[in-house]
Amino acid sequence: MSNIVWELDFYSRPVLDENGKKQWEVLICESPNDIERSPDTLFKYAEYCSSTSVNSLWLREAIERAIAEAGTSPKKIRFFRRQMNNMIVKACEDIGITPLPSRRTYALNQWIETRIDDVYPHEEGYDLKTAQTPSVQYPPLNPIALPDAVKGDRGDKWTLVSLPASAFDEMKEWDIAFEDSFSLSLVNTTPDTIIPGLIVYSPRATPLAAWMSGLEMGYLQLEKSARSQLRLETGLSDSWTLVNLTNKEMVKEAESFETAKEKANGVHFVAVQTEPDSESFAGFWLLKE
């Protein structure tokens, strides 16, 4: 079965047709689920759509045209635009592809920004008034506690660490049971860029990592409140309490993590191990906020 994952956006663009109506566009690109995969080699497909033709049938047929052009079909299609959920889900399911609401559309987000700067302004009918960089906001949600079945009986331990970006060149050689990554060349990093991360040590490392692998991992974020914590954001709207920060020292350490994450253009990682001396990972996910 194909392990290929695509990313999709279907929305109006700042380009008007001959009737002065906004044109819509489907953008489809391959997810770079490999630390070594060059973004330049990713499959991409773009097609404009009249505003009067916007429906799940047109979108399904566009996906089928992309499949024909690629010569292969994806197993899943990620999408970030919540307001298009019903149409995208129906189009995907009608052709047997799993739709995946996700904050992990890194290649697609970068491509959209590039088209806003370099493509749409040169199109006939470009409308400067409606041209803007898409800003997708995710409202804060109340985090959910991790399921008891994946937590250690005596509680899990954790540590915040960091690695230079160059260390990920050897990620293919690491012993990892469950993982997901992307090419760091997608983001503005150098070999010396410091990538911060969280390692969770748990006697139930494998069940925890297996459970996390079933989530569409988004990013890790500090929440400062009366009960400060590090939240794991997944899918488009789920939030989990991964680490409770029970004293000022922990909060300060988490603040340093957030600062390092910002300097790394949002790139960070979450890992799961049985113990600090372990040479293998039950799970490892490279993430970007």
Side-chain angles (χ1 to χ4, degrees), residues 96-150:
I97 297 173
T98 301
L100 203 59
S102 176
R103 282 175 262 200
R104 204 175 174 81
T105 53
Y106 307 142
L108 179 63
N109 294 346
Q110 184 189 66
W111 190 23
I112 292 173
E113 290 178 3
T114 299
R115 291 181 70 79
I116 286 172
D117 292 337
D118 303 333
V119 176
Y120 304 139
H122 302 290
E123 297 278 40
E124 185 177 349
Y126 175 65
D127 183 23
L128 181 61
K129 295 178 182 177
T130 59
Q132 59 181 356
T133 301
S135 178
V136 181
Q137 301 294 327
Y138 301 101
L141 300 171
N142 292 324
I144 307 166
L146 297 181
D148 291 338
V150 301

Side-chain angles (χ1 to χ4, degrees), residues 76-93:
K76 302 174 182 178
I77 291 182
R78 291 175 167 139
F79 67 94
F80 67 85
R81 210 176 286 277
R82 190 174 299 169
Q83 60 267 52
M84 299 301 297
N85 181 87
N86 292 345
M87 193 178 296
I88 294 173
V89 167
K90 179 168 174 51
C92 290
E93 290 181 343

Side-chain angles (χ1 to χ4, degrees), residues 14-278:
V15 180
L16 305 181
D17 63 17
E18 61 274 11
N19 297 316
K21 302 293 185 181
K22 264 191 174 185
Q23 294 198 64
W24 281 58
E25 181 185 47
V26 62
L27 295 178
I28 296 171
C29 69
E30 189 177 353
S31 275
N33 297 334
D34 189 325
I35 194 72
E36 297 177 346
R37 184 71 185 272
S38 168
D40 296 334
T41 67
L42 299 176
F43 170 74
K44 292 183 178 180
Y45 180 88
E47 183 179 354
Y48 282 118
C49 170
S50 166
S51 59
T52 59
S53 300
V54 174
N55 54 48
S56 62
L57 175 60
W58 187 95
L59 180 57
R60 187 196 77 188
E61 292 174 345
I63 296 171
E64 290 173 332
R65 289 190 286 272
I67 290 171
E69 185 171 310
T72 187
S73 180
K75 180 180 180 181
K76 302 174 182 178
I77 291 182
R78 291 175 167 139
F79 67 94
F80 67 85
R81 210 176 286 277
R82 190 174 299 169
Q83 60 267 52
M84 299 301 297
N85 181 87
N86 292 345
M87 193 178 296
I88 294 173
V89 167
K90 179 168 174 51
C92 290
E93 290 181 343
D94 283 351
I95 49 178
I97 297 173
T98 301
L100 203 59
S102 176
R103 282 175 262 200
R104 204 175 174 81
T105 53
Y106 307 142
L108 179 63
N109 294 346
Q110 184 189 66
W111 190 23
I112 292 173
E113 290 178 3
T114 299
R115 291 181 70 79
I116 286 172
D117 292 337
D118 303 333
V119 176
Y120 304 139
H122 302 290
E123 297 278 40
E124 185 177 349
Y126 175 65
D127 183 23
L128 181 61
K129 295 178 182 177
T130 59
Q132 59 181 356
T133 301
S135 178
V136 181
Q137 301 294 327
Y138 301 101
L141 300 171
N142 292 324
I144 307 166
L146 297 181
D148 291 338
V150 301
K151 293 191 294 186
D153 294 337
R154 298 182 181 179
D156 299 329
K157 298 179 180 179
W158 57 273
T159 185
L160 290 167
V161 298
S162 60
L163 293 170
S166 59
F168 291 89
D169 292 342
E170 301 176 359
M171 187 174 173
K172 281 287 189 180
E173 301 174 13
W174 299 352
D175 182 10
I176 307 173
F178 299 94
E179 62 96 12
D180 202 353
S181 62
F182 61 92
S183 172
L184 288 177
S185 56
L186 266 176
V187 291
N188 188 23
T189 61
T190 69
D192 295 330
T193 298
I194 300 301
I195 309 296
L198 169 76
I199 302 179
V200 177
Y201 302 112
S202 172
R204 296 186 58 77
T206 298
L208 175 59
W211 175 78
M212 291 172 70
S213 73
L215 306 173
E216 181 64 2
M217 301 284 276
Y219 51 83
L220 198 62
Q221 189 176 70
L222 168 63
E223 176 188 316
K224 291 181 65 176
S225 61
R227 299 182 62 183
S228 296
Q229 58 185 288
L230 284 172
R231 302 192 324 254
L232 177 63
E233 306 296 304
T234 65
L236 280 183
S237 57
D238 294 327
S239 184
W240 306 86
T241 299
L242 196 56
V243 170
N244 284 307
L245 305 171
T246 56
N247 57 54
K248 292 181 179 179
E249 289 73 19
M250 289 182 179
V251 172
K252 186 175 181 180
E253 193 175 358
E255 288 174 338
S256 296
F257 166 82
E258 286 289 331
T259 299
K261 185 174 68 175
E262 184 176 351
K263 290 180 179 178
N265 294 308
V267 180
H268 57 293
F269 64 89
V270 173
V272 179
Q273 290 182 298
T274 53
E275 56 188 6
D277 294 334
S278 176

